[in-house]
Amino acid sequence: MEIDNETLTTDFILLGLWPELSHLVVLICIILLVYLVAVMGNSVLILLIGLDSRLHSPMYFLLSQLSLIDLALISTSVPKMVTNFFSGKRTISQIGCGTQIFLSLTLGIAECLLLTLMSYDRYVAICNPLRYSVIMSHTICTQMVIGSWVGGAVTSLIHTAYAMHFPICRPRKIPHFLCEGMALLKLTCEDISAYVKSVVVSSFLVVLIPLSLILTSYTLIVLAVLRMNSPEGRNKALTTCSSHLCVVSLYFGPAILVYMRPGSSKTPKLNQSLFMFNAILTPMLNPLIYSLRNKDVITALKTIIISRCPQGKLKICT
């Protein structure tokens, strides 16, 4: 009697992005290109902020941490997805699956918290500029960043441990391009209604509360900007804040639709698209949004390029 190999393994099978598409290789190649652009963009931004002393301020320190999170977030899913596709092996071990859930949740929650702290930084800079250096000291910024990472890791550890402890009673096929908690729990036959409620509560704590704090900060910022007499100062404040608001919209919008939309568990294809936007496209767009609209970053990039170019090739480099 032949024994089914599927019953002897603890590995899961990731079905990937829309396996029914006939030109899936084109989509995978586009995603790989997006990954390379995201890695390059975020790495350059981190290096610029580290190398240029003019960017050694709380705002850019927090921005470098955002780039680090984006770099790690996109790296938790895309390399495995691309490797699985081109190798023809779509499996992921149980430990690998748990690790992927833990990292994606940790980084996602840390980004929510960090974006909230970045809005607070802008609020202090615009509404209380005389005390900015005291309130946003290097020590306090470091504590903020550590708090974001620790908060994300602790919350993620609880959810990951809870999701992974359920026994699997269905074929170990996950209809997703990465291991995701709710997709994994569809393979169990046990009642997960309590866990679903805990996800809603957690989403309220790590999505809606930070978003409300961000909106409050920007409401106060807009009121302060409207009272400014200098058009130049008003424009500079709005330019800086608009980049951050754009990133907030890109990140929080899909997160709310995935975790807080009624009946979201019944639309796996839409959820997968929203996950792809959050975990793949947003990490690529964030450094572009901040660098293309930021004169300080562009100036720092030009300075680094000029300093690295030989004197005779200066015109070519610039």
Side-chain angles (χ1 to χ4, degrees):
M1 182 178 176
E2 191 174 327
I3 300 174
D4 186 359
N5 288 335
E6 200 168 290
T7 64
L8 300 177
T9 181
T10 58
D11 290 353
F12 295 98
I13 298 175
L14 294 173
L15 297 183
L17 279 170
W18 307 298
E20 68 277 2
L21 290 181
S22 56
H23 300 289
L24 191 56
V25 65
V26 177
L27 178 62
I28 295 296
C29 289
I30 292 173
I31 289 173
L32 182 58
L33 178 62
V34 168
Y35 175 69
L36 295 175
V37 172
V39 169
M40 185 174 64
N42 285 293
S43 298
V44 167
L45 200 52
I46 292 170
L47 287 173
L48 283 178
I49 293 171
L51 293 174
D52 197 304
S53 58
R54 289 169 295 184
L55 302 182
H56 292 175
S57 66
M59 181 181 78
Y60 292 110
F61 174 68
L62 295 176
L63 179 56
S64 69
Q65 293 300 307
L66 179 66
S67 289
L68 182 61
I69 290 175
D70 283 336
L71 191 58
L73 182 61
I74 195 171
S75 296
T76 61
S77 58
V78 172
K80 179 64 176 173
M81 182 204 310
V82 173
T83 301
N84 282 3
F85 178 80
F86 286 110
S87 68
K89 298 178 181 179
R90 297 177 296 172
T91 59
I92 184 170
S93 67
Q94 191 163 0
I95 293 176
C97 186
T99 302
Q100 204 171 55
I101 293 174
F102 173 74
L103 289 176
S104 59
L105 276 176
T106 296
L107 295 165
I109 295 169
E111 184 152 347
C112 281
L113 299 176
L114 188 64
L115 287 171
T116 307
L117 296 174
M118 291 175 75
S119 70
Y120 176 71
D121 169 75
R122 292 298 83 206
Y123 161 74
V124 176
I126 294 171
C127 299
N128 203 351
L130 297 179
R131 299 194 61 218
Y132 179 73
S133 59
V134 177
I135 297 174
M136 297 299 295
S137 65
H138 181 71
T139 302
I140 292 175
C141 286
T142 303
Q143 291 172 350
M144 286 179 170
V145 170
I146 292 173
S148 298
W149 283 96
V150 171
V154 170
T155 308
S156 175
L157 183 61
I158 295 171
H159 280 284
T160 304
Y162 194 84
M164 294 299 293
H165 94 281
F166 283 107
I168 304 300
C169 65
R170 294 189 174 94
R172 306 173 76 85
K173 298 178 180 179
I174 301 175
H176 217 302
F177 64 88
L178 81 164
C179 273
E180 191 265 327
M182 295 304 296
L184 178 65
L185 288 176
K186 290 181 181 179
L187 306 182
T188 182
C189 296
E190 295 194 14
D191 181 20
I192 61 169
S193 57
Y195 178 74
V196 173
K197 292 177 182 177
S198 72
V199 170
V200 174
V201 173
S202 297
S203 300
F204 179 79
L205 293 174
V206 303
V207 176
L208 282 188
I209 291 180
L211 183 59
S212 64
L213 292 174
I214 291 171
L215 294 177
T216 301
S217 295
Y218 278 104
T219 300
L220 296 174
I221 287 171
V222 168
L223 294 175
V225 168
L226 291 176
R227 291 195 295 267
M228 289 182 178
N229 296 322
S230 168
E232 183 180 346
R234 189 184 300 122
N235 291 334
K236 185 177 180 180
L238 290 176
T239 300
T240 304
C241 294
S242 62
S243 298
H244 183 253
L245 274 175
C246 186
V247 171
V248 168
S249 302
L250 289 173
Y251 186 80
F252 279 89
I256 290 173
L257 290 175
V258 170
Y259 292 107
M260 309 201 71
R261 177 170 48 88
S264 62
S265 60
K266 299 177 182 178
T267 55
K269 293 294 182 184
L270 177 59
N271 287 350
Q272 192 174 146
S273 302
L274 293 169
F275 262 104
M276 186 182 72
F277 190 90
N278 246 13
I280 298 176
L281 289 180
T282 301
M284 179 198 72
L285 294 173
N286 285 353
L288 297 178
I289 291 169
Y290 274 107
S291 59
L292 293 177
R293 302 192 62 185
N294 192 305
K295 292 182 180 179
D296 293 335
V297 173
I298 294 174
T299 302
L301 180 60
K302 289 180 178 178
T303 302
I304 295 296
I305 291 174
I306 292 172
S307 66
R308 294 293 184 273
C309 280
Q311 191 67 30
K313 298 181 180 180
L314 189 58
K315 291 184 179 180
I316 298 176
C317 293
T318 55

